[in-house]
């Protein structure tokens, strides 16, 4: 005889692990995409104080190419330090 109850052996909760697994996969893909974009843009792995160092490098290069005069170079170098 067939029962008229709704006892499916807990199958009504089978969607919960699938939902969790899907959320983890989507979150992983989002994080991976962000990491790849940052690496392609050259934003990854910089130290906290590296922006001042790179600004000094740019200033030194501009002075070496003759784009700025010595007095402007010294003034900007002191500002960056």
């Amino acid at each position: 005889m067939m029962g008229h109850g709704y006892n499916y052996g807990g199958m009504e909760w089978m969607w919960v692990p699938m939902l969790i697994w899907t959320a983890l996969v989507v979150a992983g893909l989002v994080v991976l995409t962000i990491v790849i974009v940052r690496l392609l843009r050259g934003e990854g792995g910089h130290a906290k104080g590296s922006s001042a160092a790179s600004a000094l490098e740019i200033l030194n290069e501009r002075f070496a190419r003759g784009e700025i005069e010595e007095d402007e170079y010294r003034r900007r170098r002191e500002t960056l330090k």
Side-chain angles (χ1 to χ4, degrees):
M1 182 175 251
M2 303 280 285
H4 296 289
Y6 292 101
N7 189 7
Y8 297 112
M11 288 187 64
E12 63 269 9
W13 295 102
M14 292 291 286
W15 60 272
V16 173
M18 189 177 357
L19 182 67
I20 293 171
W21 177 251
T22 304
L24 287 173
V25 169
V26 168
L29 289 174
V30 168
V31 168
L32 183 63
T33 303
I34 291 171
V35 168
I36 289 172
V37 167
R38 285 187 178 179
L39 286 175
L40 290 176
R41 286 185 180 175
E43 298 174 4
H46 291 299
K48 194 172 191 177
S50 67
S51 61
S54 63
L56 280 173
E57 290 173 6
I58 293 170
L59 183 64
N60 289 337
E61 291 172 5
R62 289 187 64 200
F63 181 66
R65 287 192 299 258
E67 293 178 9
I68 55 175
E69 299 294 325
E70 184 177 354
D71 58 334
E72 182 179 359
Y73 168 76
R74 291 182 190 276
R75 185 174 32 119
R76 290 184 180 205
R77 186 179 66 188
E78 290 303 316
T79 302
L80 289 174
K81 288 184 179 181

